[in-house]
Amino acid sequence: MDMERNLSGRPSIKPGVKPGTAVLDAAQAGPADSGITVEQFKQDYRNKVERMYGDGLERVSDLDKYNALVSLVRDYLAEPWLNTKEKYRRTGAKQVYYFSIEFLLGRLLGSNLYNLGLNEVCQQALSELGLDLRTLRQVEEDPGLGNGGLGRLAACYLDSMASLGLPGHGMGMRYRYGLFEQRIVDGYQREYADDWLMDGFYWDVRKPAEAVEVRFGGNVRIKSNGKTQYIHEGYETVLAVPYDVPVVGYRNGMVNTLRLWSAEARLSEVVCAPQGGSDCQKAVEYSQTVEELSNILYPDDSTYEGKALRLKQQYFLVSAGLQSIIRNYRENNGHLREFPHKIAIHINDTHPVLCIPELLRILLDEEQLTWEEAWNITVQTMSYTNHTILPEALETWPEDLFRTVLPRLYLIVRDINEYYCRSLWEAYPGDWDRISRMAIISYNRIHMAHLAIVGCHSVNGVAELHTDILKNKIMKEFCDFSPAKFNNKTNGVTQRRWVSLCNPALAQLITDTIGPRWVEHPQELAQLERHSADTAFQHHLLKVKLQNKVALAKYVKEKHGITLDVNSIFDSQVKRIHAYKRQTLNVLHIMALYNRLKENPLLDIEPHTFIFGGKAAVNYHIAKNTIKLINSLADLVNNDKSIRDKIKVVFLENYNVSLAELIIPATDVSEQIPTASYEASGTGNMKFMMNGAVTIGTLDGANIEIKQAVGEDNIIVFGLTAEEVLAYYRGGGYNPWEVYQDNERLRQVVDQLINGFFPAAGDLFRGHFDSLLHQGDHFFVLKDFASYEAAHQVLDERYKDRPVWLKMCSANIAHSGRFSSDRTFAEYATDIWHIRPDTLPFSASEKQIREAVKVKKNVRIPEGYPYQ
Ligand code: 26V
């Protein structure tokens, strides 16, 4: 297939429709190794439609066609799914369960077809039936069961575990409503319910026979006749029903399972009319209360009721998940003493930390093990990843609330606390201050991160700098006490979704240049380095980028009515809106550029398109105003003829996985500009890099490792380092007023926030103004402004010299292999879960894992780093 044809296969997006879906061309899709022919597929598909809808293919809707296609793909993967489970049972391979309150999966049709090796056949079969796979892929709703980085990471890891041949499964929640849908009305964010299940979800299988009961509330009676027994009474029961989603490995015959739990009421147990009446109001109310548990992702926790619901959600996931693991374990194994040899449980951030006391409860109360035995089994089984150092995100629960909702677990957590504090006392006799800082329960609150550190054998951060900050600051005392637990696992993303699927033209170019092995061995992308200065390669790369820009421009035109110049620099900042991520810094820089153009309309700058996207938390007032600020700037800039379209600003509403798949391949410049030390890792930075964008970024999170990988010529860094930021926090000495007074261009833009520059805004952006000046500029926006502006100038210079620029783009792709989640998970498997490659039942060979682990590098801690 030639490049033109391939590239013209980009999404066609209609106004008001969801972002498009790239189509893989035949060569890129690899060999049709599924064993299913086009003829067979056509016949199976026709039959499927007829059986499901009692009507012919010609008469059913697109939704019906999509549902039938999913159902057919599910039929095809049923056998490998069953075989995988069988093989696990037969070999007794150690199983990993990745517990996460979020899995941000994105659409599954494309990725499942691709991983099954069915894409080419399906595309051809549908086209012979007069249908278009792209259109059907667009019908799929994004399952938005996550907020951002943490949830998307979990989804990338599922893909890698299955593709590496690791027996690793997800355990999560089947929220009735995903993260809200964002619409922009008059420049403001408005939130609408994300009713993603409205038309059904055909990927999962409901397993009512495997439902379990989860108990809340009541009280615990202690019975002592020789041995103390804890009797939990007067509790309420909620039924947890599992829905299994297949997780298909990349062409290795492997299908793992993501188990999502849904809360249901058993209405047959409820007396409808206690007073002898006939209405069933009580039963309906009861079922609504029960189902509330899995209704929404992260319920509002600003009220007592909200907090209780969140705690209940966490316990619901943990208890249901553990019960099903143990049930399965018992069917295939012996005594629970062997548990840690057969099962690894990974806790994704603190939300599933209740796994620790819940497993203890089962081992103590149901298995009658001794405390020591139960505790050792638990610690050996559990491992924990921390994803943020933001204090407001480190979970603690009021002791009273915890005791009321989970009375038996409360007693267990108290025992763990006591056991742990005793060992602290032995290590630090008399040091009460230290012990109270490290305790799990202190000042009437239960500290979930402390519980995680104590109850797990491994604690990891998600980038070298983040781990260093954990070890040397946030968790320093814990690290001093048990240093062996702490380790780093730099995040990664799956190159299959984030290159092959979302940027098929680039994937094709890579395959044409270095062969197809990179899809499974991303380190091999390094071979591209040899071609990075090659004119023909550069020419193709440019063409690929241009075509992706055309596709995005088409979407923006149809959806937002804004015309983009595809020859301009596409500069994107797409992520959650948060003060620390500093969308405001980006805005102030654009304002300054606009002012310069207004002063000198003939100013010779490269045309720029500044793209923003991201959701602000519902109650996060200033972040919501940042969205209004971006849109106000867009209104001003996009409608000002005098600047001759040199700058455009667009805010793309409802940023989600599918929209990311459209924006990332089209981007030239990746904005990764948090205040250093705040972004634990970032994963968008890796996705942009893989797609050949050049990063402008601070030395934070994984940006540091990206810089190491690509070399300093191929990334533009600016701003304070983490050590400088932390030194200011410690010692003071930063006065934003001084920076404001000294920099005229900066002063002008800061004043413009409140001086009528945005005509209709009134006092709307005074909060931003005050935070930058009167409240001390906590995130160093003003401090970093000048170096950010200078960095942008360097960037523009490099862009002007196209061969230099394209060499930078190529270097980014070539060195992105290290940021594949395949590498990350090979490390988790070997270092944390102790799954030796030779015990893996499927495709990942020892060599493959070794190769993947080999690329690990250390980040050097800068001299004078304050935490040493
Ligand atoms: C949570 C909260 C909750 C309370 C209000 C403010 C706030 C702000 C941030 C968070 C973050 C929750 C954890 C999280 O999503 N961390 C992200 O994890 C990614 C995957 O490891 C990582 O790349 C991001 O840097 C990190 O922010």
Side-chain angles (χ1 to χ4, degrees):
M1 184 174 206
D2 69 21
M3 191 61 66
E4 291 305 329
R5 231 182 88 212
N6 182 14
L7 297 173
S8 63
R10 295 296 303 170
S12 94
I13 297 129
K14 301 192 177 60
V17 297
K18 291 171 279 181
T21 317
V23 158
L24 296 168
D25 83 47
Q28 148 66 13
D33 50 12
S34 59
I36 292 160
T37 63
V38 172
E39 274 316 305
Q40 177 77 52
F41 196 104
K42 273 161 61 180
Q43 198 184 333
D44 289 350
Y45 185 54
R46 272 190 180 287
N47 289 343
K48 179 58 87 173
V49 171
E50 286 164 14
R51 267 190 252 121
M52 274 177 80
Y53 296 103
D55 219 337
L57 185 58
E58 294 71 23
R59 278 168 300 278
V60 299
S61 69
D62 274 357
L63 178 63
D64 298 341
K65 287 177 187 136
Y66 161 79
N67 285 337
L69 185 54
V70 172
S71 177
L72 179 61
V73 174
R74 250 189 50 192
D75 287 352
Y76 289 146
L77 59 78
E79 198 180 313
W81 201 2
L82 184 122
N83 289 344
T84 307
K85 290 176 196 166
E86 269 301 307
K87 205 149 192 171
Y88 288 155
R89 274 193 279 271
R90 217 176 42 247
T91 59
K94 184 172 178 179
Q95 306 289 303
V96 179
Y97 293 92
Y98 193 82
F99 275 70
S100 178
I101 203 90
E102 303 186 5
F103 283 93
L104 197 45
L105 296 171
R107 290 171 174 155
L108 296 176
L109 178 56
S111 56
N112 283 344
L113 282 171
Y114 179 64
N115 283 5
L116 285 168
L118 268 175
N119 193 69
E120 186 190 7
V121 174
C122 175
Q123 214 170 294
Q124 183 64 30
L126 291 186
S127 123
E128 288 180 20
L129 291 169
L131 301 175
D132 179 18
L133 176 57
R134 275 176 309 177
T135 314
L136 296 190
R137 278 174 62 188
Q138 282 184 42
V139 172
E140 184 165 354
E141 284 286 330
D142 263 46
L145 308 183
N147 274 280
L150 173 123
R152 181 54 233 172
L153 186 82
C156 281
Y157 286 177
L158 291 179
D159 181 79
S160 281
M161 287 197 283
S163 298
L164 277 175
L166 290 170
H169 313 279
M171 210 46 105
M173 293 286 287
R174 190 178 194 264
Y175 301 104
R176 175 64 188 84
Y177 301 96
L179 184 61
F180 65 86
E181 187 190 311
Q182 178 196 57
R183 292 188 209 153
I184 302 299
V185 181
D186 192 24
Y188 292 97
Q189 167 173 296
R190 294 276 175 267
E191 301 92 18
Y192 290 81
D194 172 36
D195 197 1
W196 72 289
L197 280 172
M198 191 173 59
D199 295 323
F201 181 58
Y202 278 73
W203 288 112
D204 62 10
V205 190
R206 181 181 156 88
K207 295 271 177 86
E210 295 184 43
V212 295
E213 288 186 352
V214 179
R215 297 169 177 182
F216 295 100
N219 48 64
V220 178
R221 187 163 53 86
I222 300 175
K223 200 167 123 191
S224 197
N225 46 0
K227 196 168 186 251
T228 311
Q229 275 181 295
Y230 296 86
I231 320 277
H232 190 185
E233 300 172 325
Y235 49 78
E236 279 182 12
T237 298
V238 174
L239 196 67
V241 181
Y243 288 72
D244 286 355
V245 184
V247 181
V248 181
Y250 179 71
R251 295 179 201 179
N252 60 359
M254 173 106 191
V255 182
N256 284 338
T257 302
L258 166 62
R259 177 157 275 200
L260 300 175
W261 293 94
S262 175
E264 293 182 13
R266 204 168 249 169
L267 283 186
S268 55
E269 305 293 318
V270 180
V271 183
C272 262
Q275 283 88 32
S278 62
D279 78 295
C280 269
Q281 188 60 26
K282 188 178 167 222
V284 171
E285 278 166 19
Y286 169 73
S287 94
Q288 280 168 349
T289 317
V290 167
E291 279 158 17
E292 214 182 26
L293 246 175
S294 56
N295 250 352
I296 46 170
L297 169 73
Y298 279 28
D300 172 22
D301 62 4
S302 56
T303 59
Y304 182 87
E305 291 72 26
K307 279 200 169 60
L309 190 52
R310 177 95 183 261
L311 180 61
K312 278 182 161 180
Q313 269 193 344
Q314 297 186 352
Y315 182 63
F316 175 79
L317 164 64
V318 157
S319 175
L322 274 177
Q323 287 184 57
S324 83
I325 292 169
I326 289 174
R327 180 190 283 175
N328 189 273
Y329 174 90
R330 283 224 178 86
E331 281 167 14
N332 303 299
N333 297 280
H335 196 276
L336 277 162
R337 277 192 192 90
E338 296 303 309
F339 200 67
H341 303 294
K342 295 288 177 190
I343 306 284
I345 290 179
H346 200 83
I347 298 173
N348 194 31
D349 221 80
T350 49
H351 322 118
V353 162
L354 294 173
C355 275
I356 295 163
E358 177 68 359
L359 181 58
L360 264 174
R361 181 190 69 75
I362 294 168
L363 297 174
L364 292 169
D365 296 359
E366 295 175 16
E367 295 295 314
Q368 316 294 332
L369 296 188
T370 66
W371 172 269
E372 270 68 28
E373 277 178 317
W375 178 247
N376 287 336
I377 289 172
T378 303
V379 176
Q380 283 174 51
T381 306
M382 304 285 168
S383 49
Y384 155 67
T385 301
N386 172 283
H387 291 269
T388 185
I389 60 160
L390 278 181
E392 65 268 37
L394 293 177
E395 286 186 308
T396 64
W397 295 110
E399 217 177 331
D400 285 349
L401 170 69
F402 198 101
R403 189 192 298 121
T404 309
V405 176
L406 307 169
R408 176 64 185 122
L409 251 63
Y410 172 72
L411 294 178
I412 291 176
V413 172
R414 243 185 32 186
D415 286 348
I416 300 173
N417 187 48
E418 196 182 312
Y419 179 84
Y420 178 58
C421 287
R422 274 183 205 283
S423 60
L424 288 176
W425 178 260
E426 276 167 29
Y428 311 107
D431 193 349
W432 281 116
D433 283 349
R434 181 192 294 256
I435 294 170
S436 76
R437 281 194 303 271
M438 295 176 74
I440 295 165
I441 305 178
S442 65
Y443 300 104
N444 304 321
R445 296 196 78 87
I446 303 186
H447 295 253
M448 301 304 270
H450 298 190
L451 180 55
I453 299 168
V454 175
C456 291
H457 67 274
S458 167
V459 177
N460 75 279
V462 289
E464 296 279 0
L465 175 71
H466 171 61
T467 303
D468 286 333
I469 294 177
L470 291 179
K471 282 164 71 170
N472 298 308
K473 185 167 186 251
I474 310 290
M475 297 175 176
K476 183 178 185 326
E477 291 180 320
F478 295 92
C479 187
D480 290 344
F481 185 63
S482 37
K485 282 189 183 185
F486 287 80
N487 65 92
N488 177 59
K489 296 285 167 281
T490 299
N491 282 342
V493 299
T494 167
Q495 66 278 14
R496 287 168 288 276
R497 179 177 288 271
W498 294 110
V499 180
S500 304
L501 278 159
C502 76
N503 197 347
L506 177 63
Q508 183 68 53
L509 173 60
I510 299 172
T511 298
D512 288 347
T513 312
I514 61 167
R517 274 175 51 90
W518 65 274
V519 180
E520 285 172 278
H521 307 273
Q523 322 79 286
E524 295 200 2
L525 287 169
Q527 292 175 39
L528 285 175
E529 187 68 58
R530 277 187 284 140
H531 303 270
S532 64
D534 182 70
T535 319
F537 179 76
Q538 289 199 347
H539 171 73
H540 274 101
L541 192 60
L542 195 63
K543 225 162 142 185
V544 167
K545 189 62 82 183
L546 183 67
Q547 294 299 323
N548 291 335
K549 286 173 159 181
V550 169
L552 177 60
K554 189 164 183 281
Y555 173 81
V556 173
K557 180 73 189 172
E558 289 175 351
K559 177 110 182 150
H560 296 273
I562 300 169
T563 308
L564 302 185
D565 171 5
V566 292
N567 293 310
S568 66
I569 298 178
F570 276 28
D571 175 310
S572 306
Q573 188 175 18
V574 284
K575 47 184 80 252
R576 287 300 288 259
I577 313 293
H578 202 293
Y580 85 78
K581 294 180 189 275
R582 299 200 297 190
Q583 281 87 0
T584 309
L585 176 60
N586 194 343
V587 167
L588 293 180
H589 168 252
I590 301 169
M591 287 168 70
L593 195 59
Y594 176 68
N595 288 338
R596 280 168 61 206
L597 268 175
K598 291 293 282 180
E599 280 159 26
N600 176 9
L602 297 177
L603 190 72
D604 179 29
I605 61 155
E606 282 293 326
H608 274 80
T609 299
F610 293 101
I611 296 162
F612 291 87
K615 296 176 183 176
V618 178
N619 298 320
Y620 194 173
H621 183 68
I622 194 149
K624 290 174 90 168
N625 264 355
T626 301
I627 294 176
K628 176 65 179 169
L629 176 62
I630 296 166
N631 284 314
S632 304
L633 181 62
D635 275 350
L636 200 68
V637 169
N638 300 348
N639 296 313
D640 186 341
K641 296 273 174 293
S642 74
I643 60 163
R644 298 172 297 123
D645 288 338
K646 285 274 185 186
I647 324 177
K648 282 276 163 71
V649 180
V650 282
F651 185 94
L652 301 183
E653 76 181 3
N654 203 38
Y655 181 64
N656 60 9
V657 175
S658 291
L659 193 49
E661 287 167 6
L662 191 58
I663 295 171
I664 292 171
T667 293
D668 299 301
V669 174
S670 156
E671 296 275 351
Q672 307 299 336
I673 59 174
T675 312
S677 79
Y678 277 90
E679 191 69 270
S681 159
T683 42
N685 45 6
M686 302 167 183
K687 294 166 197 164
F688 280 109
M689 174 197 195
M690 280 182 184
N691 284 277
V694 174
T695 303
I696 179 166
T698 44
L699 287 172
D700 198 20
N703 291 355
I704 298 176
E705 288 156 80
I706 290 179
K707 177 174 170 241
Q708 282 186 342
V710 296
E712 56 190 5
D713 289 344
N714 297 312
I715 182 171
I716 315 288
V717 298
F718 73 95
L720 294 175
T721 60
E723 73 185 274
E724 287 165 342
V725 166
L726 297 162
Y728 274 126
Y729 285 149
R730 244 194 353 253
Y734 170 48
N735 180 356
W737 286 101
E738 281 171 13
V739 182
Y740 169 82
Q741 293 301 346
D742 289 351
N743 184 336
E744 202 185 320
R745 238 191 342 260
L746 174 62
R747 195 163 64 245
Q748 184 183 9
V749 292
V750 173
D751 289 346
Q752 282 171 339
L753 291 172
I754 54 166
N755 70 5
F757 173 78
F758 295 109
D763 240 12
L764 209 56
F765 307 128
R766 184 164 292 276
H768 286 85
F769 180 89
D770 287 348
S771 85
L772 294 174
L773 288 167
H774 298 293
Q775 290 153 19
D777 188 17
H778 187 76
F779 294 104
F780 299 94
V781 174
L782 303 192
K783 183 79 185 164
D784 277 350
F785 179 83
S787 69
Y788 182 55
E789 206 177 35
H792 262 290
Q793 267 159 17
V794 174
L795 228 149
D796 287 5
E797 286 306 313
R798 301 265 177 92
Y799 189 81
K800 276 193 182 117
D801 190 342
R802 220 44 63 88
V804 167
W805 180 260
L806 289 164
K807 204 162 172 285
M808 290 173 80
C809 301
S810 314
N812 273 275
I813 303 167
H815 297 290
S816 64
R818 190 199 288 190
F819 303 101
S820 160
S821 42
D822 292 358
R823 186 271 307 154
T824 314
F825 258 52
E827 291 181 7
Y828 274 89
T830 45
D831 300 351
I832 299 179
W833 305 323
H834 309 300
I835 302 186
R836 287 202 325 275
D838 58 351
T839 65
L840 295 177
F842 288 99
S843 67
S845 66
E846 186 163 2
K847 186 162 161 277
Q848 189 179 340
I849 299 253
R850 286 233 185 89
E851 270 175 23
V853 176
K854 210 164 53 190
V855 288
K856 195 164 89 178
K857 281 267 166 355
N858 292 323
V859 166
R860 285 176 57 85
I861 301 175
E863 251 175 34
Y865 191 70
Y867 305 131
Q868 302 210 57

